[in-house]
Amino acid sequence: MSDTGDARAAEGGFANTGYIYQVSASHLTMVQQRLPREPASWPHQVGVLPSRAHSFQYRAESDRLRAVVANGGTAVLGQVLTGMGGVGKTQLAADFARTAWQDGSLDVLVWVTASARSSVVAGYAQAGVELCRADPDDPEGAAQTFLAWLTPKAGATPCRWMIVLDDVADPNDLRDLWPQASPHGRILVTTRRRDAALAGDGRHLISVGLFTEAQAVAYLVQSLSVCGRQEPVEQLTALARDLGFLPLALAQAAAYLIDTGLDCAAYRALLADRATNLADAAPDALPDDQAVPVGAAWSLSIDRADTLRPVALARPMLRLVAMLGPHGIPGSVLSSPPAVAYLAQHRSIGQEGTTDSPGSVSAQDAILVLRVLHRLSLIEHVPQTPHQAVRAHQLIQRAVRDDLTREEHAQAARAAADALVSAWPGVPRDIRLEESLRASSKALSQCAEEALFCGDAHDVLFRVGRSLGETGQVRAARDYFEHLVQTATDRLGPDHSSTLAARGNQAQWQGQAGDAAGAADAFRELTEQMLQSIGADHSYTLTSRDHLATFQGEAGDAAGAVAVAEALLQDRLRVQGPDHPHTLTTRGALARWKGEAGDPSGAADALESLLKDQLRLLGPDGPDTLTTRGALAHSRGLAGDPARAADEMAQLLQHMLRVFGADHPEFMAATYNLAHWRGEAGDPAGAAEAIEQSLGQTLRVLGPDHPSTLIARGVLANWKGQIEDPAAAADDLEKLLDHMLRVLGKDHPHTLTCRGNLAFMRSLAGDLHAAVDALEKLLADQLRTIGPDHPSTLTCRNNLARWRGQAGDPVSAVAALELLLEDRLRILGPNHPDLLITRHDLAVMQGLAGEPASAVAALEVLLEDRLRLLGPDHPDPLTTRHDLAVMQGLAGNPTAAVDALARLLKDEARILGPDHPDTQTVQYSLEQWLKVVRQRPLG
């Protein structure tokens, strides 16, 4: 066309004044020229705010949003709402923005869905087009035009603006897109990320947490009431807890209840069913314009986490976390060798382009990937609390487990179990760590029990029970293993080695919980079954017999324990040989029960021989070697040489401190044993001081409820009562008894022992009648719980008779002691030290009952027997010599009493020392009888 004249068309139109004969579309170029758009007037909103959620709950985070103002209110700073998916960040931001818009405090409000950089650019570009005549065909340029427009300019009318960037997925997406600080503007970001970059340039991070319980219940009540539904508050409260107070989950649960007509209890049962996925409990139509069901709420975050360094480890790490419970996982578990091995094995799954080889995964990589998961709000990682370093919401954990195949689930569960066992300390020194490990193990059992019984019972199942017992919760350990026995029987059968091992642990903690006789019966039955199912020479069978000897002895049958241990030792020698550690252990047990059966000297000889072999085979630092040294020192003390026992324990204690450390339970036990023998050697004040110094450490390491702590408190009160104020000591024992009744129960041997010690303190305080009443009640309970032949029952009878005599009734004391003597002779034999004690007390009571001559005759025979059995330097013959002298004086021969006491005083000063309480007692008796002799008329 040419020379056709002029023509004009409206914007976007096409004008022609000539004739068009032919137009080729391929050669036609049409240019559409837009006129610049006039800027929108204020107030102006760009983007659409999400609708307000039904039953919206006002939260503390809203107050924090309004409160973050710097420089006295002259500069409003950027704010970042961060938190896990589903906590309601978008709703909080929308409510904040809507409120500011409606109250007229904004001129411009821009809402951008910021899940990608392109979305942010598009949102800014749209604002640039509408507010500042930016070119819509150049989004990047339009976005920068908008950012430049936001910058305050001298002389320009101030614009009060707010920009909300909702659901920022990657802080890098905002590079060069942050508005400059303005006294009139505010930027609000919602994100699951917690990267340091988000907190730059004065921006404030506000963590958005879960609903409180009250908010969660109020939300459910309001949501259901809209549709005329009412549910019991207790059921709604329980449902809120089941859902972890997560707003997204609560909203979808309420919708599901309304849509399906299920009641709250039925819905909770659906959630509790492990065969149900979270997707099965979501409504078909999601409420409040929600985009995804709760089960899929975190999938994009997990995908993104797997792309961050260390690449492709986030997903396998989250699988381990998903197995271990929401309330705090020790960091050492997730960086343990089994955990690292699992990460390496599963690194490439679901992630292409991974360049690192599986073997390159390290413990540091495990820690770094925890930080990645923390940055994306998939977990909470707080290294400052190592025993509970990692927490994850229970629904995230469940969603991760729901996404696993059966085999993947089993692999993750077994890896988590291996990691727990690997991280579990051999000796419990940190109660909080033990609690966290048990809690994680419990959660693992609840979600993956089948995997833990694949072939046999995983060791983590046994480690939980042992941890309970070793931290002092002996009754809980007993109950735990009772449940494990039932589960193992159901899953593996009654004759499976894991079931038999569980029964052995149950019996052991039954004994530790105070039922030694029941434990002995259980081990007897278990041994019989093992003989039938796995044979006499199986290590489990031999170990069961070892425990049988132990609890038979603990139940009061030391002679029976010796017989069992002797037969077992012969079998161990035949099956395992003389140098096997278990053979050595049995030799130590046999020596112990020989001492308990009345032969402490023979026990000491056996332990000396054992110690030589252990030094040769295990070395001086071996734990069993050190245990034998302690047992040997104890035997020397029982054999009548408490000073030597104390010296040997002092040397051992220094060795144990170097090998074990001060917080090791064995070291603390040795500390108390040393104090005991110091007290027995004549230094009760030193014993009390040592125990008091060690008690604080025991409380810190083992806690106030541990049996060792309770025993230490009782021993401390006893020594204090003997050197200071027995009435105050009785008060301490009263408090201790209340504690033991709560922790151990009324029938536990430690509780019964405390009652006996309390009666003893009352006798020292001069209230013999109260002591007698207390022992009468104690004896009745001992007859009911441990039986008439138990050594503790026999000792109670002896003390009761003696205190009755001292309280003014020696005649009845004589009758009671004569009956006791018959029983002890039948049960213990003629040479047992306890029988000799009864003979001694019987003779003394005969003297107090008006028959001093009979007492002299009985004590002379007793002295010969004690000298023959114990030797002249043992404390018991020295005590007999003292009482014999006193009875000689009462029988009318004070001169003989003085001569005997003078000789005894020299011997006691030589053997025990001049300051020993027994030496001082002899000194006092000598002075009293010297007065009698001096006052007696001549001829």
Side-chain angles (χ1 to χ4, degrees):
M1 295 185 300
S2 63
D3 300 323
T4 59
D6 297 327
R8 291 185 178 182
E11 180 182 354
F14 177 81
N16 171 44
T17 63
Y19 297 95
I20 301 174
Y21 296 101
Q22 184 177 4
V23 176
S24 175
S26 61
H27 293 91
L28 177 64
T29 301
M30 299 179 65
V31 177
Q32 181 180 18
Q33 186 174 13
R34 301 184 186 180
L35 294 177
R37 179 175 178 173
E38 291 299 318
S41 61
W42 303 346
H44 184 71
Q45 177 179 325
V46 179
V48 180
L49 273 66
S51 301
R52 183 183 180 92
H54 296 297
S55 307
F56 177 83
Q57 298 291 301
Y58 189 84
R59 301 166 71 178
E61 287 84 350
S62 297
D63 292 331
R64 294 179 63 191
L65 279 172
R66 291 169 172 81
V68 180
V69 178
N71 301 325
T74 60
V76 180
L77 304 177
Q79 296 162 286
V80 179
L81 290 176
T82 180
M84 65 177 283
V87 294
K89 301 180 295 297
T90 296
Q91 280 293 318
L92 285 169
D95 176 70
F96 181 64
R98 185 179 295 109
T99 301
W101 181 252
Q102 292 174 349
D103 66 16
S105 59
L106 292 178
D107 299 315
V108 171
L109 171 63
V110 179
W111 182 280
V112 179
T113 300
S115 56
R117 180 179 178 87
S118 60
S119 300
V120 180
V121 170
Y124 281 4
Q126 181 68 26
V129 169
E130 296 181 16
L131 291 166
C132 44
R133 303 166 62 99
D135 183 357
D137 295 326
D138 182 9
E140 288 283 351
Q144 293 302 318
T145 298
F146 172 62
L147 288 172
W149 180 81
L150 293 175
T151 303
K153 299 171 182 64
T157 302
C159 177
R160 301 168 301 167
W161 54 263
M162 176 186 293
I163 298 173
V164 182
L165 301 178
D166 183 40
D167 195 25
V168 171
D170 188 342
N172 291 322
D173 291 344
L174 301 183
R175 187 181 296 115
D176 301 326
L177 295 177
W178 288 102
Q180 292 187 16
S182 166
H184 310 294
R186 172 177 294 182
I187 184 165
L188 175 60
V189 174
T190 74
T191 180
R192 303 181 187 190
R193 300 292 289 261
R194 291 187 275 204
D195 302 64
L198 289 169
D201 296 330
R203 291 183 289 273
H204 288 249
L205 265 64
I206 299 176
S207 294
V208 180
L210 305 164
F211 275 165
T212 65
E213 181 174 296
Q215 289 170 339
V217 174
Y219 177 87
L220 290 172
V221 169
Q222 293 172 21
S223 297
L224 294 174
S225 64
V226 170
C227 295
R229 288 284 301 275
Q230 289 186 340
E231 294 282 342
V233 173
E234 61 272 13
Q235 282 292 331
L236 293 177
T237 303
L239 175 59
R241 292 171 182 167
D242 293 342
L243 297 173
F245 308 124
L246 182 66
L248 179 69
L250 292 164
Q252 295 185 12
Y256 190 93
L257 290 174
I258 294 168
D259 290 349
T260 62
L262 280 181
D263 62 24
C264 191
Y267 184 72
R268 291 186 61 220
L270 178 68
L271 285 174
D273 187 349
R274 295 175 192 169
T276 301
N277 288 341
L278 285 176
D280 300 327
D284 293 329
L286 300 178
D288 299 327
D289 296 327
Q290 294 168 3
V292 293
V294 68
W298 306 282
S299 58
L300 291 179
S301 295
I302 297 172
D303 291 341
R304 184 173 292 272
D306 239 5
T307 67
L308 301 179
R309 295 177 299 172
V311 177
L313 293 183
R315 192 179 302 275
M317 176 58 86
L318 199 54
R319 290 177 179 179
L320 290 179
V321 171
M323 297 291 164
L324 294 173
H327 301 302
I329 305 166
S332 56
V333 173
L334 297 172
S335 60
S336 66
V340 170
Y342 177 82
L343 296 180
Q345 181 182 0
H346 294 80
R347 180 170 205 168
S348 62
I349 296 177
Q351 181 66 39
E352 297 181 1
T354 302
T355 58
D356 294 330
S357 63
S360 66
V361 178
S362 66
Q364 182 62 24
D365 289 329
I367 296 172
L368 289 175
V369 77
L370 290 173
R371 297 307 300 168
V372 168
L373 294 170
H374 174 81
R375 280 160 49 200
L376 272 76
S377 298
L378 290 166
I379 66 169
E380 296 286 333
H381 182 223
V382 185
Q384 294 77 14
T385 55
H387 62 287
Q388 289 183 320
V390 177
R391 297 175 186 266
H393 193 276
Q394 62 209 57
L395 294 184
I396 293 182
Q397 291 180 310
R398 180 159 183 177
V400 171
R401 295 196 302 268
D402 285 351
D403 199 39
L404 299 177
T405 66
R406 182 186 181 98
E407 180 56 29
E408 288 171 339
H409 189 279
Q411 289 175 352
R414 288 193 288 269
D418 291 342
L420 285 165
V421 172
S422 176
W424 221 305
V427 176
R429 301 177 189 231
D430 186 335
I431 293 176
R432 293 184 301 172
L433 175 59
E434 295 287 324
E435 291 173 346
S436 293
L437 289 168
R438 291 197 302 268
S440 293
S441 300
K442 180 180 179 181
L444 176 60
S445 295
Q446 290 173 338
C447 73
E449 183 178 271
E450 181 179 354
L452 300 182
F453 284 92
C454 183
D456 55 14
H458 196 284
D459 189 49
V460 73
L461 298 169
F462 293 90
R463 198 64 194 85
V464 171
R466 292 198 299 272
S467 173
L468 285 168
E470 289 166 359
T471 55
Q473 300 179 64
V474 289
R475 292 195 291 179
R478 174 201 62 198
D479 296 342
Y480 173 86
F481 277 111
E482 182 178 358
H483 175 73
L484 182 59
V485 167
Q486 186 60 54
T487 306
T489 301
D490 294 341
R491 288 191 173 273
L492 303 173
D495 293 330
H496 192 282
S497 59
S498 293
T499 306
L500 299 176
R503 286 182 60 188
N505 278 277
Q506 178 193 0
Q508 178 184 352
W509 292 110
Q510 179 181 358
Q512 295 291 337
D515 186 8
D521 291 340
F523 274 115
R524 193 173 292 108
E525 294 175 6
L526 178 59
T527 300
E528 290 298 324
Q529 182 172 347
M530 287 181 170
L531 288 170
Q532 297 297 321
S533 59
I534 59 179
D537 295 343
H538 194 284
S539 61
Y540 281 14
T541 308
L542 299 175
T543 299
S544 180
R545 293 169 61 190
D546 241 330
H547 289 305
L548 171 58
T550 295
F551 288 107
Q552 193 164 339
E554 294 284 358
D557 185 6
V562 168
V564 173
E566 285 177 336
L568 174 60
L569 179 59
Q570 296 306 310
D571 287 337
R572 284 205 186 275
L573 288 167
R574 172 179 57 81
V575 175
Q576 298 171 316
D579 294 344
H580 193 282
H582 292 170
T583 304
L584 301 177
T585 299
T586 299
R587 287 173 59 188
L590 176 58
R592 173 196 174 185
W593 294 117
K594 281 185 175 179
E596 295 287 342
D599 186 10
S601 297
D605 293 341
L607 289 169
E608 280 187 338
S609 175
L610 172 61
L611 182 59
K612 292 178 182 177
D613 290 337
Q614 287 178 323
L615 288 168
R616 172 176 57 86
L617 296 168
L618 307 177
D621 293 345
D624 289 349
T625 305
L626 299 176
T627 297
T628 298
R629 285 181 60 185
L632 177 57
H634 185 72
S635 293
R636 297 199 195 285
L638 292 178
D641 195 348
R644 183 177 180 183
D647 290 343
E648 292 185 0
M649 283 303 306
Q651 297 172 19
L652 173 61
L653 200 64
Q654 294 304 311
H655 197 148
M656 294 178 82
L657 179 61
R658 177 175 59 80
V659 174
F660 291 146
D663 288 348
H664 196 286
E666 293 295 331
F667 174 80
M668 290 185 284
T671 301
Y672 293 121
N673 288 335
L674 171 59
H676 169 78
W677 290 117
R678 279 180 175 167
E680 293 293 332
D683 184 14
E689 181 180 1
I691 294 172
E692 197 158 23
Q693 290 175 351
S694 300
L695 187 56
Q697 180 185 19
T698 304
L699 279 166
R700 175 177 58 82
V701 176
L702 300 180
D705 294 341
H706 195 284
S708 296
T709 306
L710 301 177
I711 292 171
R713 287 176 58 189
V715 174
L716 175 61
N718 278 335
W719 286 119
K720 278 189 169 183
Q722 294 182 49
I723 61 173
E724 296 176 357
D725 185 354
D731 291 340
D732 291 342
L733 287 170
E734 285 271 18
K735 297 174 184 175
L736 175 60
L737 180 58
D738 290 340
H739 197 149
M740 284 185 165
L741 287 169
R742 175 176 56 82
V743 174
L744 301 177
K746 62 184 180 64
D747 293 337
H748 194 284
H750 294 342
T751 306
L752 300 177
T753 298
C754 183
R755 290 172 60 186
N757 291 336
L758 176 57
F760 175 61
M761 280 302 121
R762 285 174 174 156
S763 74
L764 289 183
D767 194 352
L768 285 170
H769 292 290
V772 168
D773 290 342
L775 280 189
E776 285 176 343
K777 296 175 182 176
L778 173 61
L779 179 59
D781 288 335
Q782 288 179 322
L783 290 169
R784 174 179 55 82
T785 56
I786 58 179
D789 294 347
H790 194 283
S792 296
T793 306
L794 300 176
T795 298
C796 184
R797 289 174 61 189
N798 199 110
N799 292 338
L800 177 57
R802 183 172 66 248
W803 290 346
R804 277 176 176 162
Q806 293 174 353
D809 190 5
V811 175
S812 67
V814 168
L817 288 168
E818 286 176 339
L819 293 175
L820 175 60
L821 186 62
E822 294 178 3
D823 290 336
R824 278 193 156 165
L825 182 63
R826 170 180 56 83
I827 298 167
L828 305 176
N831 296 327
H832 195 283
D834 289 352
L835 179 124
L836 301 182
I837 289 174
T838 299
R839 287 176 57 189
H840 179 277
D841 289 346
L842 174 58
V844 170
M845 287 302 127
Q846 286 175 331
L848 294 179
E851 301 180 15
S854 299
V856 169
L859 289 171
E860 287 176 339
V861 176
L862 174 62
L863 180 60
E864 293 178 2
D865 289 339
R866 278 187 157 169
L867 289 170
R868 171 176 56 83
L869 294 169
L870 304 175
D873 292 347
H874 191 284
D876 288 353
L878 298 178
T879 300
T880 301
R881 287 174 59 187
H882 171 270
D883 289 348
L884 173 58
V886 171
M887 288 302 155
Q888 285 175 328
L890 292 177
N893 194 352
T895 302
V898 168
D899 293 342
L901 290 169
R903 292 192 298 271
L904 176 59
L905 183 61
K906 293 180 181 178
D907 290 339
E908 293 221 349
R910 171 179 58 83
I911 297 168
L912 304 178
D915 296 329
H916 193 283
D918 289 355
T919 306
Q920 294 175 353
T921 297
V922 173
Q923 177 71 48
Y924 176 79
S925 296
L926 176 59
E927 292 171 356
Q928 297 304 309
W929 285 107
L930 279 172
K931 291 179 182 178
V932 172
V933 169
R934 292 177 184 140
Q935 294 171 359
R936 189 175 184 181
L938 298 176

